[in-house]
Amino acid sequence: VIALARPQAGSTKTMQVTEGIAIQMLVDVSSSMDMSMDLPDGGRKTRMEVAKELVELFIGGDGEKLTGRTGDLIGLITFARYPDTRSPLTFGHPALVELVRGLTIQDRPNEDGTAYGDALALAAARLKHLDEMETDQSVSFVGDVASRVIILLTDGENNSGNHLPLEAAGLAKKWDCRIYCISLGDPLPASPTTGISQLSSSERILEHISNETGGIFRKAFDYESLRSVYEEIDQLEQSEISNRAYTQVSEWFWLPALAGLFGLTLALVLEATWLRTAP
């Protein structure tokens, strides 16, 4: 009778589900990145040093406006005349930060140049094949990749490579990748009519790439302006985290059923042996 009543024991569990973002960081390492920039304290550092510091803060956070990208897959591609994959998409952000710190400018004449068209095409292809790639599972990633993002930092115009920037942008758009373009360099004179700094021909291409893929284009002239761009992107691309509660039920009907079966078997055995009654 107890077994037929089907006793159960249940426990409620909560699972955190993350809809993370896959981000490809593209960093220009051409020789022009050796030019200096202003710092908030009045000092100066090269564009490369400033870029490395702020890419590191974007990945790891600073405890203030940059919150860090702990729930996201991040990959790193550098480029001069040729693009190089420094890190595949990974959750291993401490190792990725070490790679960022070790970046150096490509000063070999035969490898110097700016091929961000090729770098964009490579990044878009890696994001397209994200589901087929083996990633570091040291951090649990339960859920879906909510969006695929490319963040391009360059200080020059595309003058090398096999892919034109607009061609690479077309691939990124086709594969649902947003491109955020950051132009790092000196400002052009302001327009006499609008008072806003004008865009060079190379910057107009970067702006077009961003607009076509749903991203944004920003110019940066010094440490503070570049930091504000990364803060803006950090706010625009936020991972979504939700909690799912479910109840896990354990069936216990088998325990009284087993006890009843054991008792019935014992009764039959005793009835046929020790408690057997003669007619």
Side-chain angles (χ1 to χ4, degrees), residues 40-52:
D41 60 4
R44 294 180 71 82
K45 282 185 179 181
T46 66
R47 294 174 179 175
M48 187 79 258
E49 292 172 319
V50 172
K52 290 196 298 183

Side-chain angles (χ1 to χ4, degrees), residues 37 152-156 180-186 199-200 202-204 206-207 217-222 225-226 229:
M37 296 181 67
L152 168 65
L153 173 66
T154 183
D155 70 342
Y180 293 86
C181 294
I182 307 172
S183 176
L184 189 60
D186 297 324
L199 298 181
S200 65
S202 60
E203 290 171 339
R204 291 186 187 281
L206 293 172
E207 184 181 42
F217 165 75
R218 294 290 184 266
K219 297 175 65 172
F221 315 116
D222 54 19
S225 60
L226 183 57
V229 175

Side-chain angles (χ1 to χ4, degrees), residues 124 167-179 211-214:
E167 176 191 354
L171 293 174
K173 183 178 181 180
K174 178 182 177 182
W175 297 331
D176 297 323
C177 303
R178 280 193 297 279
I179 301 177
N211 292 338
E212 280 295 302
T213 58

